[in-house]
Amino acid sequence: MNASYSTYRALFDVSFSVPAGTIVALLGANGAGKSTVARVATGLVAATSGKVLVGGRDVTRTAAHRIARMGVFHVPEGRGVFADLDVEENLRLALRRRVGARHLAEAMERAYTTFPVLAARRHQQAGTLSGGEQRILSLAGVLEAAPKLVIADELSLGLAPVIVDGVYEGLKAIHARGAALLVVEQQVDRALSLATHAVLLARGAVHWQGPPQQARAEMEELLAAGYAPPV
Amino acid sequence: MSTLLGYVLPGIPYGCDFALMAVGLVITFRTTGVFNLAFGAQAFGAAFVFDLLVRSEGLPVWAAFVLSVLLLSPAVGLVLDRFLFSRIATTNMTAKIVSSVGLLIAIPQLLPILFGGSPRENPPSLWLDQAHVEFRLFGTAVNGSEVSTTVITLGAVAALLLFLRLSPAGLEMRAVVESRRLAQLQGIDSGKVAASAWALSSVMAGLAGVLLLPLSNVLNPTNPLQFTGLLVAGLTAAALARMRSIGVAFGAAIGLGVAQEVLELYFPNGALHTASVNAFPFIVLVGTLVGSKSLRSLGFRADPMAGVDPPPPPPSVSIRDPRLDVPMKWGFRALIVAFVVSGLTWVPGYWVTPLDAGLVYSTIFLSVTLITGASGQLSLCQASFAGVGAFAAGQLAAHFGLPVLLGAVVGGLMAAVLGAVLALLAARISGLILTLLTLAFALMADTFLFQYSWSGGSGTGVSVPRPVMGSIDFTSNRAFLVLALVVLLLCILLVALVQRGTTGRFLAAMRGSEPGAASLGINLLRARVTVFAMSAGIAGVGGAMFGSLYSPVSADSFVYEISLAFVVVVITTGSRRIEGAVQAGMSFAIIQFLFTYAPSRFQGLTPILFAFGALNYAQHPEGMVEYQKSRWMMRVSRLLARVDGRRGTAPTALAAGAAGNGMAGGVVGGSAPNGAPGLAGSPVGLSSGVVSPRG
């Protein structure tokens, strides 16, 4: 795929796949195009050329909400919840279309049992939750919805290491239920410890892809070549 | 006790009228994210269609209601969403206000064009008749329309409350307002949800309009000002409800209605009546806008997915080839000389007045350039400041024999003081709430400040004589042209100095980010007071010139709609640069003059023309003229680059960058596969002036 933001081109012939049940780590420095890949895959940014396939179906020109209804979930960078709505309303919003109105109540109860921290803050405005709690709220909505593919964008950004552990537990739980994951991450080690496959982006193009064990070495090489260092 | 009740009871249906407006504003804001100033105008339009269907087409009332409120109104809402509001980014509060102001101007002007301008008396009522007394409560007669207004309003408010709280659609609407893209990621069709929110809001407007019909005895398509009082009360109640709670908005509106009736009881007439009954809603409104903490944080919530939107376009000067700088500068000077010489010699006499007006308008519009262009604040009371200047100059000349030019300076200073006071009041508010505060001030000036004999001259107006300086007499229109040009150039000089100086940099920083500017050590309050005072002062001087040109002038020349029109006109042409104000002033005056040749029914087309320009603000925030200029600059640059290429000389880095950065092809085609535009990789991104505009 190729993509640009008005006159600024962001992606150059990026191509990789996320097979069912795998975890792919998408690595790269600031401005390498990681978030753009995530946005194009979920239809938020239109690709200027190329194709996005989900389960063999071409979704390049499909509206973002339709892609979401197909089971591809994008947990965006930063705040991914509606700050003006309370925790319960956020969950209701995330789950109603995905599990159907009839199963909504059970799904929400399950989410509260899995993440007791949310149950305690049921009627609190989501904007007043801490960063980690907001991330967990996004993941809770995804977990109960039986996703096919989850794209997690910079889950660790701005969080304390202890909190990140909790967030990654949530991610593992989602994978355990059968979803494929595309983990976009700057914290390389964390993503690699989870991943079954790694893709390294540099300046909008795929620089290297392969098994996660070799990813470290490739990154060092990239660094030596003078590219901006990953955090 | 029964006398008091006799005033309290009619206050309730009166308050219900306010409540329809307030609840409509709140629900529109919560479900669409737009503070729709045009809500009243939409209501007026629906009421007009309803009246037309009942009387001219002879339809039964229920059929007219279904057609006008349940079918036509939502259709209008869908059109508004499709062609206007769906194109505005969630976080762009300015674009939302400008669009609603454009509508507020366009809709009332469209009505006489569509339906003719003759007023209609005794409009029909929806359910129960106004003339019929339904029952007596504690000795007070309650008529039919009071009953129907109260009952229907209560029903509508309860239904909306339940809808917003409990229905999934209400929840989705609230989510989409916060972030369309985030909602899409949850599988919600944001476009559809936003469209239905607009349809809902328009139905509310239609319902309000039809219920409000019995309130006005005459339905005059050319004077929708009947809704002004409602706008104030609706604004007040909505502000009291922090733009959030429908229940509070309803209660506050009823309270306002009752309070106004009770004030009528205690101050039946005289000066105290005007001061208390008219000023009361404003005191509450200003107090709420200034004092409420939760209003202050309104709209601070950023869309988490805002990064997906493309960056704003660069100004046209940054695209200009540097070789064009000198010819354009001299061309501009030659244009001024040609203008003065032509104005004094061969231009026919009847064309001189519009040219005078153009220069005077340009002066007033400069005040908008300063406040909206430089500081990014939208002020909706520039015409009121102009009024202060005009009336001060006129009154000082009449009572103290002060020369008019001196009076204009004093008037400008008075306006500047008022502007500074307004800025001090608004010390801790910004964005939408600040804009509403300026609107409140404009409405306050209309309703009572300009209504006294010592200010607006009540009825006869204030005459502002043409200036005479010793032996130089500016009485003739041609001589006035020179004076107006000198005043304009002085004001331009002032604005240019501000824009280029430290204050201008401070303002640019504030426009970018207020917290960011504050963290750099910029005193936000001082910068804002300065810009408000200077802008008001320029408007005041321009107003005095306007008064002198069109003497005598009355409060009608400076009503709030004029302020709205001013802002819309300047934004349409381009508010960021000084040329924009002059282009706006001249084109406004000349187009207005040209339309005097058209049938009287089409007089409203001038404001509509510019209102449609304002509706383009979302796509081209730099203004239509500025946008066209950028396109031409790009073409010229490309042409120059081609000429350079043919001559064999290497084009300058700037020219190459200018030719490329407007076109996707230029950047994309010129980059190597692993070049990152905008970062160090490509020479085009940073060096071409995309990020650092000159001048």
Side-chain angles (χ1 to χ4, degrees), chain A residues 6-9 12 39 44-45 65 68-69 74 76 79 81-85 89 93-94 96-98 203 227, chain B residues 168 171-172 174-175 178 182-189 301-302 304-305 308 661 667-668 673-675 677 690:
Chain A
S6 66
T7 61
Y8 302 101
R9 183 145 171 206
F12 302 86
R39 287 168 184 170
L44 284 179
V45 170
H65 67 272
R69 286 179 199 176
H74 181 174
R79 177 164 63 79
V81 296
F82 296 97
D84 269 342
L85 308 182
E89 286 171 328
L93 205 62
R96 200 181 68 90
R97 285 191 184 273
R98 293 167 180 167
R203 294 190 176 173
Y227 283 76
Chain B
L171 184 62
E172 286 182 359
R174 285 160 56 202
E178 198 177 319
L182 203 53
Q184 280 183 317
L185 293 182
Q186 311 279 13
I188 295 165
D189 187 348
R301 204 143 269 161
M305 307 297 289
V308 181
N661 75 35
V667 173
V668 175
N674 60 353
V690 183

Side-chain angles (χ1 to χ4, degrees), chain A residues 50-129:
Chain A
K51 267 186 188 171
V52 181
L53 303 175
V54 173
R57 232 176 95 186
D58 188 353
V59 296
T60 320
R61 298 274 165 265
T62 309
H65 67 272
R66 292 200 187 281
I67 297 179
R69 286 179 199 176
M70 287 166 69
V72 177
F73 296 164
H74 181 174
V75 182
E77 191 181 334
R79 177 164 63 79
V81 296
F82 296 97
D84 269 342
L85 308 182
D86 65 24
V87 170
E88 176 132 354
E89 286 171 328
N90 263 294
L91 273 181
R92 228 163 67 199
L93 205 62
L95 292 174
R96 200 181 68 90
R97 285 191 184 273
R98 293 167 180 167
V99 302
R102 261 187 299 158
H103 305 290
L104 180 61
E106 320 156 27
M108 283 179 55
E109 273 322 306
R110 277 203 307 274
Y112 285 136
T113 341
T114 322
F115 303 102
V117 60
L118 296 180
R121 301 183 182 274
R122 204 177 275 230
H123 294 294
Q124 190 174 324
Q125 276 208 337
T128 62
L129 296 179

Side-chain angles (χ1 to χ4, degrees), chain B residues 483-548:
Chain B
L483 177 69
L485 187 66
V486 170
V487 172
L488 174 62
L489 288 177
L490 284 176
C491 290
I492 286 182
L493 192 69
L494 182 69
V495 174
L497 283 178
V498 171
Q499 279 190 345
R500 286 183 197 168
T502 320
T503 316
R505 295 292 136 206
F506 283 3
L507 294 175
M510 273 169 72
R511 191 179 59 217
S513 156
E514 292 205 353
S519 73
L520 285 176
I522 294 174
N523 185 340
L524 294 184
L525 183 60
R526 197 167 69 190
R528 190 186 280 171
V529 169
T530 314
V531 72
F532 259 83
M534 285 181 93
S535 160
I538 291 175
V541 171
M545 296 297 289
F546 180 86
S548 184

Side-chain angles (χ1 to χ4, degrees), chain B residues 227-518:
Chain B
F227 281 81
T228 306
L230 279 172
L231 179 62
V232 177
L235 266 180
T236 311
L240 279 170
R242 318 295 187 237
M243 313 283 176
R244 281 193 70 87
S245 161
I246 289 177
V248 176
F250 178 75
I254 301 284
L256 274 178
V258 171
Q260 255 182 337
E261 290 289 318
V262 172
L263 280 175
E264 293 271 0
L265 168 69
Y266 288 112
F267 307 102
N269 46 36
L272 269 178
H273 173 265
T274 350
S276 63
V277 177
N278 290 344
F280 172 69
F282 289 107
I283 295 169
V284 182
L285 175 57
V286 171
T288 319
L289 289 178
V290 171
S292 164
K293 268 190 191 154
S294 34
L295 277 183
R296 229 173 271 156
S297 58
L298 194 78
F300 261 9
R301 204 143 269 161
D303 181 351
M305 307 297 289
V308 181
D309 297 317
S316 66
V317 248
S318 66
I319 303 172
R320 191 161 79 192
D321 190 290
R323 280 169 291 179
L324 290 176
D325 287 353
V326 173
M328 282 192 72
K329 199 198 256 170
W330 281 102
F332 181 65
R333 285 175 192 170
L335 200 68
I336 291 184
V337 172
F339 179 81
V340 174
V341 171
S342 325
L344 292 180
T345 52
W346 61 268
V347 171
Y350 58 90
W351 261 104
V352 177
T353 320
L355 292 183
D356 281 343
L359 292 175
V360 171
Y361 278 130
S362 304
T363 312
I364 300 178
F365 289 173
L366 268 179
S367 73
V368 182
T369 305
L370 194 56
I371 203 159
T372 306
S375 82
Q377 307 285 2
L378 207 60
S379 160
L380 301 181
C381 61
Q382 295 302 314
S384 311
F385 289 138
V388 170
F391 296 144
Q395 301 278 9
L396 286 172
H399 294 290
F400 302 101
L402 204 68
V404 175
L405 281 179
L406 209 57
V409 173
V410 175
L413 287 176
M414 283 170 71
V417 169
L418 267 177
V421 169
L422 201 62
L424 283 173
L425 267 180
R428 309 185 65 178
I429 58 181
S430 59
L432 173 66
I433 304 302
L434 178 60
T435 304
L436 291 182
L437 185 71
T438 60
L439 178 65
F441 174 70
L443 289 166
M444 190 153 65
D446 287 4
T447 351
F448 63 95
L449 220 57
F450 287 167
Q451 297 300 334
Y452 298 100
S453 58
W454 53 262
S455 58
S458 60
T460 53
V462 177
S463 70
V464 189
R466 293 278 172 94
V468 178
M469 277 169 76
S471 58
I472 318 171
D473 187 351
F474 292 110
T475 314
S476 83
N477 282 342
R478 281 188 206 277
F480 192 80
L481 194 73
V482 179
L483 177 69
L485 187 66
V486 170
V487 172
L488 174 62
L489 288 177
L490 284 176
C491 290
I492 286 182
L493 192 69
L494 182 69
V495 174
L497 283 178
V498 171
Q499 279 190 345
R500 286 183 197 168
T502 320
T503 316
R505 295 292 136 206
F506 283 3
L507 294 175
M510 273 169 72
R511 191 179 59 217
S513 156
E514 292 205 353

